[in-house]
Amino acid sequence: MPLSATDARHLRVSLQGAVVKLSERCLYQSSKWAAELLNALPDIPPTRPDLAPAPGIGGYLHPVFAPNNDAREAAMEASEFDRYLLAKAFFENKEFDRCAAVFLPETLLSGITSTKQAEATTSKGKGKAVHFSSDPLLPGISQRSLFLALYAKVISGEKTKDEDSEMIMGPQDLGTVVNKQLLMVSRFLERWFTERKSGQNNLPPSQGFLEYLYGMVLAKEKNEEAALGYLLESVHIFPWNWGCWLEITNLVARVEQLNKIIPRLPQNIMTFIFYTNTAINLYQQGQSLADSLNDLLNIFPTSSFLQTCKALLNYHSKDLIAAEQDFNNILALHPHRLDSLDHYSNILYVLNQRPKLAFLAHLCSSIDKFRPESCVVIGNYYSLLSLHEKAVQYFRRALTLDRSCLSAWTLMGHEYVELKNTHAAIESYRRAIDVNRRDYRAWYGLGQTYEVLEMHAYALWYYKKAAGLRPWDGKMWQAVGSCLQKMGRDKDGIKALKRALLADTYYDSTASSAGTIDRMAQMDPEVLLQIASMYERLDNEEETKAYMELCVAQEFGGNSNDATGLGDSVSIHQDSSGVGSDTEGEGANRGGGGGGHEGTGVTVATSKARMWLARYAMRTEDYETANRLATELCQDGVEVEEAKALIREARSRMEISSNDYDGVPS
């Protein structure tokens, strides 16, 4: 429900202050996010009491520009203001090493680093470590300036890392180049926090930004537990830094972990936004999540970020029509915004809407052709035209601009599969998993690639990882079942395929603009035929017949009672690690749009099932049924010659039976 006027005014002032503080520290992405959220608040009449009188200029000073509340920090910021402006100018001009050197000269940093190394070396010896008082002191500068200098060092290291990396997917591109500045920044911050925790110097309270920086550095060093602790501390002190929340999101791998973290977070609107965004990134669905998102949209009605979350919720639910409409609305409201348009291009690709995808590619190219999102959109367009080499070229360009672009790695893997370059496809998918282990598409792509190579044990392991990430996606379980079938594990394959049917017939009531989607009356005839075939190999004729009949019934829309009864016979297969629990990802439904109770019509699968039933009827001497089914096969135009032979045999047997009956005396 909407906020009161007082709460809205306080929220506005908090966001205004956040934009200023984030901009002062050159956290421009977080500053942009906060500014967009600020401008999504409904307008309220300004009140003069919100403005503090500024002595000496006869006007008013906005509270966000007031000096630091801590007198010591304010004094240090005032004394170093000239140097701070110089350092910030260097940062904005991408001279990151010069920016850091304004406050942290190389001699000081090397002294602190060498002291740490000497302590580590001494502690390894047999004797007692002796600590001398000649350790270089930490510089007495404000936290704002210290953060800016250390952050510039991290960005400088990332820039050097990209420059030292080989060409994307080149012979020497092993993904092993590291940021060489992380070790120095980590040691500096470790000592800084050690001195603060000792409590000897009576230091001013922390502002939360150095905790964020240390958590980010520890996360890059794969020290995730310690990183999470510092990041949580940061959001308690300063909750408006969206970059910090995103770092926490990257550390959350499963829903259970998210639910454990929530009690440790501050109780404010940022936690609410974080939970909604993280749940969507974990492919969660359901009415409660949709309601939470709608509540946030009531507070920020025009937020492009929240509208994108809504579109992604529909996208992950495979309600592609609603997701496409949501992205279309976002594009109409923000025609120059490129964020998340790579997801929009994926939707248009799946829906085969080539004109819209061509328009989107042209729009992105005209706005900024050197944004990774633009390159991904153009790559998707060329992929839709089956120009796979051209598509790979644009995906590689996106990765040259940003090596952490997840969509580009995954989609490039798809293109290499189309080009039959399985080695490059596997490498692309692996690099996508390195960027984000929650990307089920990369795990599924690896499974498909190994299945093409007929390495079914590897394929099965990757398919299970994908199914664990999306346990209510029937496509994942169908892949697991098909792989088990090829390995000769028919009993396990049947369990997996039954779970695929259960996932596909799951009643989803997510709050999408298209309303609820009832899929109880429709099942995939291919899956039903696979289950029947495996039962046949297990010599279970009764179950084979039941699933063959259910397969044929899908031509006319199936029977909701049959679908409901299926749930009673489904045995959930917990076959090894990588498979998620039943409570994860609830509410996934099959691909976009309505379908209702309409059947599939005649398909290859239903025709094969009808042929099997006709032969079964011949074996059981039910010649009328065999004749009817074979006649239907002739009408379908599938396996006509064999169907005609069955008709002739069935009619012959029926005539013999009729003659035998007529010859019996009354």
Side-chain angles (χ1 to χ4, degrees), residues 505-563:
T505 57
Y506 190 80
Y507 184 84
D508 180 31
S509 58
T510 55
S512 68
S513 58
T516 57
I517 301 173
D518 183 4
R519 304 210 179 267
M520 291 296 290
Q522 188 64 54
M523 289 182 281
D524 189 344
E526 289 284 349
V527 177
L528 292 168
L529 180 64
Q530 278 184 283
I531 294 175
S533 300
M534 284 190 277
Y535 271 124
E536 186 179 20
R537 283 201 296 272
L538 293 171
D539 297 325
N540 190 335
E541 198 168 63
E542 182 181 350
E543 288 290 342
T544 304
K545 178 175 177 287
Y547 277 94
M548 290 293 186
E549 290 174 344
L550 198 54
C551 179
V552 173
Q554 301 313 302
E555 291 182 349
F556 314 104
N559 188 310
S560 61
N561 293 329
D562 293 339

Side-chain angles (χ1 to χ4, degrees), residues 12 15-16 19 31-43 299-304 334:
R12 184 182 299 275
L15 284 170
Q16 289 170 344
V19 172
S31 176
K32 181 185 78 170
W33 184 89
E36 288 181 345
L37 206 64
L38 170 65
N39 283 273
L41 281 170
D43 291 332
I299 300 173
F300 306 100
T302 60
S303 169
S304 56
H334 310 278

Side-chain angles (χ1 to χ4, degrees), residues 85-152:
L85 291 177
L86 177 64
K88 192 168 186 295
F90 286 150
F91 192 102
E92 290 171 347
N93 284 280
K94 303 188 185 305
E95 298 183 56
F96 303 115
D97 287 323
R98 290 188 74 189
C99 171
V102 172
F103 292 106
L104 299 176
E106 286 296 332
T107 52
L108 173 65
L109 293 175
S110 60
I112 292 174
T113 305
S114 60
T115 301
K116 188 72 178 177
Q117 289 174 337
E119 289 176 0
T121 304
T122 307
S123 62
K124 290 180 182 177
K126 294 182 180 179
K128 223 178 199 181
V130 180
H131 298 283
F132 298 100
S133 59
S134 58
D135 291 348
L137 297 175
L138 294 177
I141 57 177
S142 67
Q143 295 181 45
R144 181 179 68 180
S145 300
L146 181 59
F147 174 86
L148 184 59
L150 292 175
Y151 184 56

Side-chain angles (χ1 to χ4, degrees), residues 428-444:
S428 297
Y429 290 135
R430 289 190 187 280
R431 298 288 284 274
I433 291 169
D434 289 340
V435 173
N436 184 356
R437 298 187 66 81
R438 299 189 304 265
D439 183 24
Y440 75 95
R441 296 169 301 175
W443 291 109
Y444 184 80

Side-chain angles (χ1 to χ4, degrees), residues 314-331:
N314 287 324
Y315 176 41
H316 294 158
S317 303
K318 295 194 175 180
D319 191 353
L320 301 183
I321 302 299
E324 192 271 334
Q325 292 173 350
D326 289 334
F327 273 116
N328 203 29
N329 294 335
I330 295 169
L331 197 60

